[in-house]
């Protein structure tokens, strides 16, 4: 069945299947003869990989028990990083040609260094970003990082990087960004779509070629228009954090009639906010400009912390009644920002609640209590 | 109109029968919380105390960690909301509630009308909870209900870590080995719990009046230490441990109105 022939439910099922079985998706690409390159969070230059005819596939870890990874990490470190290594040591990523890991937080730096020893069969390619990304020297540094990634990819895969093929991939990614922004906005007026289904749409994006995902998302947008919005009344909230994909957590939100109408989640909308600019510059320079112009994220240096105001602004714009901060345990950049977010929300009369999450949570009762109380507070 | 609130916690079950949302006509409090026979027995005892039958109850609300497994309830309500309602009912001027239960600690902020403004919960950690006191009382072979008496007789409270129950347990054993007086050790333990919870409370804007709820509120040693650390007097009611159940009964009453 073609994507255009799929109805709303079939499209939602398709997102769900991809989001919950990335291994099947990876096997499909490998069976098609494509090379798969893992991309760790966040802001990995996927366009470079895509332009080389390979599939960039998100590696954000999974909700699993950590055993092997503990050989490589201290106890108090981000569980996303640990679960990426855990999955690597268990062979879940076997078949991937390389993994690109950016350097945007201390845990990510540790991930890269440990990956080399923990998962020897999948080459580690570092993407070293500058702290000062906006000045010309920062952009030059970023571009040099992309060139290093391209060179390492050539070495790992034997496929040559040709910069003149990059603009086509940039167009694919810009189109996908637009589709994701549109679907986020559209879903805010469709309370019948559950939080789990919304998460599936975002999560599946990391496991698919972006042109394929864009086609699905555009079909979904059309199907939503055709179906019309339901009259269901929900409590509208905005989420913020690194991840928001735990099924138990999303179920609790659904059970409490809470609808995510906007997000500031790194694995969701944050990565789709900024397009690569058009222009006459060389494609890699344009890509470096994209990173330079990306803002409002805990791992991107900003002395003014404009991110905080954007959260309030986005929440108000989406008519969210409160902000739910899903703090990934031991994520320093997010922890540093939380007091500022809390203060800004308070000043804007926007209730804000924090729930700590990680990749190893098995009991969500404390989260349930916090969410139920948040609901009472918003009511 | 009679309404009923049941608070099924991690270590105890509490019930309250209320008449017309104002008068408490029956209560019960049993050791044993979620997953035990205590909730059913607590219901039986509270109804018996009130002289009311199940059929006469206009509404039942369940709260506490076991709330969602209690099937005979019309409403299942978060314990933070219920502690807020129960505390406001008991102390109409209260603005900050510090609830230390068997396995967690919470701070609730109310506005002048008693509406919840904000709340905080502790990390998933036994330090700063009733569990910490249980573990320490067990090591010292003192009934947990007598900790406050020991605390009152202390001359120089011992220094006990407030960061980890397991480490603090080792510290207490070391201090016992060093001959530290039992009373001073208990005062150190109470101060440790108070220190941990005070840190949590200070993350919210503490507005007086302040009260405590939950089982640990019965412990004057913790109460006094906490009062000193947050710089505000702490209101105390003998019903502090019932605030959740009172709030649940009030919630049921409000819903039935």
């Amino acid at each position: 069945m073609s994507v255009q022939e799929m109805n709303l439910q079939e499209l939602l099922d398709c997102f769900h299947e991809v989001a919950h079985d990335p291994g099947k998706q990876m096997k499909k690409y490998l069976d098609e003869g494509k090379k798969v390159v893992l991309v760790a969070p966040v802001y990995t230059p996927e366009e470079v990989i895509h332009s080389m005819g390979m599939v960039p596939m998100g590696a954000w870890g999974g909700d699993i028990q950590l055993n092997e990874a503990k050989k490589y990490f201290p106890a108090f470190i981000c569980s996303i990083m640990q679960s990426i290594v855990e999955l690597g040591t268990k062979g879940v990523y076997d078949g991937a040609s390389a993994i690109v890991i950016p350097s945007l937080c201390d845990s990510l730096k540790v991930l890269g260094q440990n990956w080399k020893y923990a998962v020897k069969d999948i080459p580690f390619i570092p993407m070293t970003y500058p702290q000062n990304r906006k000045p010309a020297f920062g952009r030059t540094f970023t571009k040099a990082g992309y060139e290093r990634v391209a060179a390492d990819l050539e070495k790992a895969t034997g496929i040559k990087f040709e910069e003149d093929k990059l603009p086509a991939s940039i167009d694919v990614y810009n189109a996908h960004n637009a589709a994701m922004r549109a679907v986020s906005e559209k879903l805010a007026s469709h309370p019948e779509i559950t939080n789990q289904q919304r998460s599936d749409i975002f999560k599946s994006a990391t496991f698919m070629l972006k042109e394929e995902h864009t086609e699905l998302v555009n079909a979904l947008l059309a199907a939503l228009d055709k179906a019309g919005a339901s009259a269901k009344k929900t409590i509208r909230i905005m989420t913020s954090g690194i991840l928001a994909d735990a099924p138990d957590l999303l179920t609790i939100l659904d059970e409490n009639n809470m609808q995510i109408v906007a997000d500031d989640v790194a694995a969701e909308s944050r990565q789709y906010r900024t397009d690569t600019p058009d222009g006459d510059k060389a494609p890699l320079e344009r890509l470096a400009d994209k990173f330079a112009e990306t803002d409002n994220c805990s791992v991107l240096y900003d002395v003014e912390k404009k991110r905080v105001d954007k959260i309030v602004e986005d929440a108000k714009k989406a008519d969210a009644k409160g902000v739910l901060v899903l703090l990934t345990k031991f994520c320093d950049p997010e922890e540093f920002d939380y007091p500022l977010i809390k203060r800004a929300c308070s000043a804007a009369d926007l209730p804000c609640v924090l729930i700590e999450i990680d990749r190893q949570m098995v009991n969500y009762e404390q989260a349930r209590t916090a969410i139920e109380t948040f609901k009472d507070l918003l009511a | 109109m009679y309404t009923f609130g049941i608070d099924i916690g991690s270590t105890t079950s509490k019930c309250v029968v209320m008449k017309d949302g104002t008068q408490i006509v029956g209560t019960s409090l049993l050791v044993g919380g979620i997953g035990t026979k205590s909730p059913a027995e607590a219901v039986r005892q509270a109804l018996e105390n009130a002289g009311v039958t199940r059929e006469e109850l206009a509404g039942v609300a369940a709260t506490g960690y076991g709330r969602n497994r209690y099937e005979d309830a019309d409403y299942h309500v978060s314990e933070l909301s219920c502690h807020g309602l129960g505390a406001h009912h008991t102390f109409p001027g209260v603005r900050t509630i510090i609830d230390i239960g068997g396995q967690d600690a919470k701070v609730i902020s109310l506005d002048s009308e008693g509406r919840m403004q904000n709340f905080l919960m502790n990390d998933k950690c036994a330090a700063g909870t009733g569990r910490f006191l249980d573990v320490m009382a067990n090591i010292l072979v003192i009934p947990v209900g007598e900790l406050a008496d020991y605390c009152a007789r202390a001359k120089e409270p011992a220094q006990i870590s407030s960061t980890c129950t397991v480490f603090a347990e080792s510290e207490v054993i070391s201090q016992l080995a060093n001959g530290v007086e039992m009373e001073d050790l208990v005062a150190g333990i109470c101060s440790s719990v108070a220190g941990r919870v005070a840190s949590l409370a200070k993350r919210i804007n503490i507005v007086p009046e302040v009260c405590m709820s939950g089982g640990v509120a019965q412990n004057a040693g913790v109460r006094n230490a906490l009062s000193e650390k947050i710089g505000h007097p702490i209101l105390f009611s003998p019903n502090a441990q019932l605030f959740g159940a009172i709030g649940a009964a009030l919630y049921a009453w409000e819903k039935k109105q």
Side-chain angles (χ1 to χ4, degrees), chain A residues 202-349:
Chain A
F202 279 92
K203 194 170 180 179
S204 58
T206 65
F207 304 133
M208 292 180 74
L209 278 168
K210 294 297 183 281
E211 53 270 43
E212 292 176 1
H213 196 259
T214 303
E215 189 182 10
L216 276 175
V217 172
N218 285 336
L220 178 78
L221 288 166
L224 286 168
D225 282 341
K226 192 175 165 190
S230 98
K232 183 182 174 189
K233 294 284 178 211
T234 55
I235 300 166
R236 297 165 70 88
I237 60 163
M238 176 172 172
T239 47
S240 176
I242 298 293
L243 281 175
D245 64 352
D248 284 353
L249 185 76
L250 296 167
T251 300
I252 294 169
L253 290 174
D254 285 327
E255 286 172 355
N256 281 280
N257 200 33
M258 288 184 167
Q259 181 195 359
I260 299 169
V261 293
D263 78 81
D264 165 60
V265 174
E268 298 180 2
S269 291
R270 271 191 222 172
Q271 56 189 309
Y272 303 121
R273 288 173 181 158
T274 310
D275 291 339
T276 303
D278 292 330
D280 299 330
K281 286 185 180 176
L284 275 176
E285 287 176 14
R286 289 171 58 202
L287 211 53
D289 284 345
K290 173 192 175 185
F291 180 68
E293 287 159 28
T294 301
D295 282 316
N296 304 312
C297 178
S298 56
V299 299
L300 298 177
Y301 179 65
D302 174 17
V303 73
E304 295 174 32
K305 285 288 176 197
K306 293 187 287 291
R307 169 191 181 214
V308 171
D309 296 327
K310 175 154 179 66
I311 290 171
V312 171
E313 185 186 314
D314 285 356
K316 295 277 184 191
K317 188 177 161 195
D319 194 25
K321 301 303 177 199
V323 175
L324 181 61
V325 176
L326 299 167
L327 182 70
T328 298
K329 204 172 179 72
F330 305 129
C331 177
D332 293 347
E334 290 281 303
E335 286 181 354
F336 288 139
D337 283 2
Y338 174 67
L340 305 176
I341 295 170
K342 177 84 182 164
R343 199 179 303 151
C345 286
S346 182
D349 204 18

Side-chain angles (χ1 to χ4, degrees), chain B residues 32-33 45 63 76 78 88 98 123 126 163 171 178 203 208-209 250:
Chain B
Q45 286 187 16
T63 188
H76 298 91
S78 130
H88 181 68
I98 299 173
D123 296 335
T163 55
E171 280 176 50
N178 290 334
R203 284 164 55 188
E209 302 168 351
L250 285 168

Side-chain angles (χ1 to χ4, degrees), chain A residues 42-113:
Chain A
V42 285
Y43 309 120
T44 315
E46 292 189 26
E47 292 90 334
V48 171
I49 301 162
H50 186 272
S51 74
M52 295 170 77
M54 298 186 286
V55 182
M57 182 164 282
W60 289 73
D63 295 330
I64 52 167
Q65 182 71 40
L66 301 174
N67 295 314
E68 289 299 309
K70 288 182 177 169
K71 282 161 58 179
Y72 302 96
F73 292 100
F76 303 118
I77 196 166
C78 165
S79 60
I80 301 171
M81 306 301 122
Q82 293 193 67
S83 70
I84 294 170
V85 167
E86 186 75 24
L87 291 171
T89 58
K90 285 189 159 62
V92 171
Y93 297 132
D94 284 0
S97 299
I99 183 168
V100 181
I101 303 175
S103 62
L104 285 165
C105 73
D106 289 346
S107 299
L108 281 164
K109 288 169 194 159
V110 176
L111 169 65
Q113 295 308 315

Side-chain angles (χ1 to χ4, degrees), chain A residues 342 352-353 356 361 365-366 368-370 372-374 376-377, chain B residues 65 67-68 77-81 116-119 121-122 124:
Chain A
K342 177 84 182 164
C352 170
V353 161
E356 201 174 54
M361 267 177 89
E365 285 312 299
Q366 197 179 35
R368 179 186 293 279
T369 297
E372 287 181 3
T373 311
F374 191 38
D376 290 343
L377 194 149
Chain B
Y65 271 103
R67 65 189 178 280
N68 290 315
V77 196
S78 130
E79 57 265 39
L80 287 109
S81 302
M116 189 168 25
Q117 293 288 288
N118 203 350
F119 66 92
M121 300 172 77
N122 68 326
K124 281 173 270 183

